[in-house]
Amino acid sequence: MSSRPSQITGGCLCGSLRYTLTFPPSTPWPPKSATCQCTMCRKWTGTLLPSFLTLPSKQITPWPLSSSSGQNTYTEYASSSKGLRGFCGTCGSSLIWRSKEEEEVDLYLGTVDEKWLVDEKEVAKAIATPNQFQFWCQHAVDGVTDMVKGGQKLLRDRGTEMG
């Protein structure tokens, strides 16, 4: 396997929602990746340091997410006036965050198949190392979540770069 796959697969815990991410040669590799330590992302994912890929929705199949079994369990929750969070209505897996205005989708890395996060070490490192941003670093847990390397560290959101 080369370090740049043509596609990466993933889905929810119960398996009712599956997706394929495509990486044609015309798209950047590695894709944009980031972390967020805001309270909403932490509560949504149940982890101190949510990690995600930021991709154009056209690189996600199917989009919008849907079940191949005919029983669609994909649900979106309006977590703010600007954002929607997508999850599986059966198992509760947090899958995405997306803006109501933009075509890009933040897809949570924990939903990527184990093959890509464990077996394919080069791919795992490429997609799991933040290369874009680390959001909400003012909420970092000293000695725990402040040790991740990569990406531009922001106190809160864009426009709040750390000195």
Side-chain angles (χ1 to χ4, degrees):
M1 177 89 215
S2 80
S3 60
R4 182 196 171 101
S6 61
Q7 62 183 29
I8 290 176
T9 55
C12 66
L13 181 62
C14 71
S16 67
L17 294 172
R18 299 286 305 152
Y19 61 79
T20 300
L21 309 177
T22 58
F23 299 99
S26 61
T27 60
W29 182 262
K32 292 189 279 186
S33 60
T35 63
C36 186
Q37 298 187 63
C38 79
T39 300
M40 278 201 273
C41 281
R42 284 180 170 173
K43 288 186 178 286
W44 181 249
T45 61
T47 185
L48 288 173
L49 191 61
S51 300
F52 52 90
L53 298 176
T54 301
L55 302 163
S57 59
K58 67 183 178 187
Q59 284 183 250
I60 304 169
T61 304
W63 185 257
L65 295 176
S66 60
S67 174
S68 60
S69 69
Q71 181 180 25
N72 192 7
T73 63
Y74 181 71
T75 304
E76 287 188 332
Y77 164 68
S79 59
S80 69
S81 61
K82 296 180 181 178
L84 298 165
R85 295 178 185 271
F87 64 99
C88 175
T90 299
C91 67
S93 292
S94 303
L95 295 159
I96 64 110
W97 178 92
R98 70 180 182 92
S99 166
K100 292 178 181 177
E101 291 93 32
E102 296 177 23
E103 291 296 318
E104 288 190 321
V105 175
D106 293 342
L107 183 125
Y108 289 103
L109 276 172
T111 67
V112 169
D113 286 341
E114 187 174 290
K115 171 186 177 175
W116 305 107
L117 296 177
V118 177
D119 300 338
E120 299 291 341
K121 305 270 187 232
E122 286 182 41
V123 172
K125 186 171 183 178
I127 64 175
T129 302
N131 61 26
Q132 185 184 33
F133 298 110
Q134 290 190 49
F135 294 107
W136 286 88
C137 289
Q138 74 179 20
H139 289 177
V141 177
D142 291 343
V144 179
T145 64
D146 62 344
M147 301 180 80
V148 173
K149 304 235 185 295
Q152 183 178 10
K153 293 187 176 191
L154 305 176
L155 287 172
R156 293 180 301 281
D157 207 342
R158 291 187 178 111
T160 61
E161 291 75 13
M162 294 178 69

